[in-house]
């Protein structure tokens, strides 16, 4: 969907670069802890406001030369910049701004991120590469200016940077702790065997009435050969009556515990006895009960079990750290809550 948005006619090439940076990096920040990703997130909005002239810059009209006068200080010869001359760029550096530099590998990695988010982005085109580099240079100039101002000393900025740093550290540690941790085929097979009721397709009908006497009379009609669906449609008082008491698949998991208990005790073509439920008295009938093949759910089941194992690995690691870490809690500030 990002591609559809970014190929609208009203969006120029430069805007597309900015937008895909924002869209893609929003997802990437959740998954990646690389320094490259962190760098790209700063300054994008501000530089994006400068317009769409980067790839096709407008030609400036030639201005008339201004003759210098003795009193015209603007015409004084340029003085040497205070920045020390660092000499020529080394072979692997694509750009340098003051003391900051970007290697060719780092630059290509940024282009790769853009390419991943926008498949038709041409990261080989010299003009495109130069445009992206120019924006990264603009970004660094703004970052340096912000660092030299009082912005970097603002408490909310410091807090945000600290929170972001903590998040990245935790994400990286979690990735290391869970690397290679996944459920085996044996784990999947065992869970499937131990929880077969979770992997069963049910076609269930239900009749619900207000009093027990009516329910028992209906059960007699069914046992004497009456059609469950027809009787449900005529006499049931629940919301499924119009469909012959047929319970939609999506509603099966939401049924009250007592109803589910009576359903799982039945086999195909089985009918329950009358039982009391939260809204009166019930009778349930299983039209069909069939197992979902392991092959059909194996991939999703393995992913879920792997996630559970990874969570357990992190929880176990935290428990081990707590055993050797002194933790103090001020219960008075928690309103008298007891520390655990």
């Amino acid at each position: 969907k990002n591609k559809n948005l970014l190929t609208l006619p009203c969006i120029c090439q430069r805007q597309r670069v900015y937008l895909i940076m924002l869209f893609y990096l929003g997802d990437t920040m959740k998954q990646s802890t690389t320094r490259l990703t962190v760098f790209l997130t700063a300054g994008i909005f501000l530089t994006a406001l400068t317009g769409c002239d980067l790839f096709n810059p407008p030609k400036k009209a030639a201005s008339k030369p201004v003759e210098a006068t003795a009193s015209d200080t603007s015409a004084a010869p340029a003085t040497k910049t205070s920045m020390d001359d660092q000499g020529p760029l080394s072979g692997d550096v694509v750009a340098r701004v003051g003391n900051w530099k970007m290697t060719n590998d780092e630059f290509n990695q940024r282009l790769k991120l853009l390419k991943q988010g926008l498949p038709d982005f041409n990261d080989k085109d010299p003009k495109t590469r130069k445009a992206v580099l120019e924006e990264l240079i603009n970004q660094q100039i703004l970052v340096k200016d912000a660092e030299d101002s009082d912005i970097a000393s603002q408490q909310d900025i410091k807090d945000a940077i600290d929170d972001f740093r903590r998040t990245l550290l935790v994400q990286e540690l979690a990735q290391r702790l869970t690397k290679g941790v996944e459920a085996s085929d044996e784990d999947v097979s065992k869970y499937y065997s131990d929880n077969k009721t979770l992997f069963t397709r049910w076609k269930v009908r239900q009749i619900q009435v207000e009093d027990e006497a009516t329910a028992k009379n209906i059960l007699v009609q069914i046992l004497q050969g009456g059609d469950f669906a027809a009787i449900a449609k005529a006499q049931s008082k629940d919301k499924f009556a119009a469909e012959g008491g047929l319970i939609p698949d999506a509603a099966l998991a939401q049924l009250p515990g007592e109803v589910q208990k009576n359903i799982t005790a039945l086999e195909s073509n089985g009918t329950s006895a009358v039982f009391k439920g939260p809204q009166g008295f019930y009778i349930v009938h299983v039209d069909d009960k069939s197992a979902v093949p392991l092959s059909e759910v194996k991939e999703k089941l393995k992913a879920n079990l792997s996630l559970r194992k990874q969570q357990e690995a992190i929880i176990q690691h935290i428990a081990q750290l707590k055993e050797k870490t002194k933790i103090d809690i001020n219960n008075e500030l928690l309103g008298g809550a007891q520390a655990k």
Side-chain angles (χ1 to χ4, degrees):
K1 64 181 180 181
N2 294 351
K3 181 177 179 181
N4 292 336
L5 173 64
L6 299 175
T7 52
L8 290 175
C10 62
I11 297 180
C12 70
Q13 176 70 0
R14 184 185 187 192
Q15 290 174 323
R16 293 172 69 219
V17 171
Y18 288 129
L19 286 174
I20 192 59
M21 278 179 153
L22 295 173
F23 275 104
Y24 178 68
L25 292 176
D27 292 333
T28 305
M29 290 307 299
K30 301 176 184 178
Q31 304 172 4
S32 172
T33 58
T34 63
R35 183 169 58 88
L36 302 178
T37 303
V38 177
F39 178 87
L40 280 172
T41 56
I44 298 297
F45 279 108
L46 187 56
T47 52
L49 296 177
T50 58
C52 304
D53 56 355
L54 184 60
F55 286 85
N56 297 288
K59 295 182 179 180
K60 296 183 179 179
S63 58
K64 295 181 179 180
V66 179
E67 296 182 1
T69 64
S71 61
D72 190 354
T73 56
S74 64
T79 58
K80 184 180 179 180
T81 179
S82 60
M83 186 178 298
D84 294 334
D85 184 5
Q86 301 182 46
L89 296 177
S90 59
D92 66 333
V93 175
V94 69
R96 181 174 62 204
V97 180
N99 294 323
W100 173 88
K101 63 183 180 180
M102 176 182 292
T103 66
N104 192 49
D105 287 343
E106 292 172 335
F107 180 56
N108 286 330
Q109 180 64 25
R110 285 158 175 74
L111 292 174
K112 182 180 179 181
L113 291 177
L114 290 174
K115 183 70 174 177
Q116 290 175 359
L118 185 62
D120 64 350
F121 175 75
N122 188 359
D123 59 338
K124 304 300 182 184
D125 177 59
K127 291 184 178 180
T128 301
R129 291 170 63 87
K130 184 176 180 180
V132 174
L133 179 62
E134 181 65 25
E135 290 309 312
L136 290 170
I137 290 173
N138 292 344
Q139 180 189 45
Q140 178 57 29
I141 291 173
L142 292 172
V143 168
K144 181 63 168 62
D145 187 48
E147 289 176 342
D148 292 341
S149 70
D150 63 344
I151 294 177
S153 62
Q154 291 179 199
Q155 191 58 47
D156 57 340
I157 298 296
K158 290 181 177 180
D159 291 344
I161 292 174
D162 183 59
D163 288 343
F164 189 54
R165 174 180 175 275
R166 290 159 60 89
T167 299
L168 291 177
L169 289 173
V170 170
Q171 288 179 346
E172 177 64 22
L173 178 60
Q175 287 181 6
R176 295 185 181 186
L177 289 173
T178 58
K179 184 178 181 180
V181 177
E182 63 177 24
S184 65
D185 290 343
E186 290 74 16
D187 294 331
V188 174
S189 297
K190 185 176 187 306
Y191 187 88
Y192 178 84
S193 299
D194 293 344
N195 299 273
K196 286 189 175 180
T197 56
L198 298 178
F199 306 100
T200 302
R201 289 193 180 97
W202 300 84
K203 185 176 180 181
V204 181
R205 298 182 186 274
Q206 169 184 290
I207 292 175
Q208 175 224 316
V209 293
E210 296 178 354
D211 62 278
E212 186 176 11
T214 301
K216 288 183 175 181
N217 181 52
I218 291 175
L219 180 59
V220 171
Q221 297 176 44
I222 295 170
L223 295 178
Q224 290 178 344
D227 182 75
F228 193 98
I231 295 174
K233 191 170 185 178
Q235 302 187 54
S236 182
K237 304 301 180 182
D238 69 1
K239 58 185 177 181
F240 308 122
E243 289 75 35
L246 183 63
I247 304 173
D249 292 341
L252 286 172
Q254 308 301 322
L255 293 175
E258 187 64 25
V259 178
Q260 292 190 15
K261 179 181 177 181
N262 279 272
I263 291 174
T264 55
L266 299 172
E267 297 297 331
S268 293
N269 203 35
T271 302
S272 73
V274 173
F275 61 92
K276 193 175 188 313
Q279 295 181 347
F281 292 85
Y282 296 75
I283 305 169
V284 290
H285 178 83
V286 175
D287 285 3
D288 185 59
K289 174 182 177 181
S290 58
V292 178
L294 175 58
S295 58
E296 189 174 319
V297 297
K298 183 176 181 179
E299 185 176 345
K300 183 177 291 187
L301 180 56
K302 187 171 185 177
N304 291 337
L305 291 178
S306 294
L307 179 60
R308 179 185 296 183
K309 292 189 72 171
Q310 292 167 3
Q311 291 172 336
E312 291 172 351
I314 294 174
I315 292 173
Q316 183 179 2
H317 184 72
I318 293 174
Q320 293 173 351
L321 292 175
K322 281 186 173 181
E323 290 180 358
K324 53 185 180 183
T325 303
K326 188 176 185 299
I327 302 174
D328 296 315
I329 297 176
N330 190 333
N331 290 314
E332 292 183 2
L333 295 180
L334 295 177
Q338 295 297 317
K340 294 184 179 181

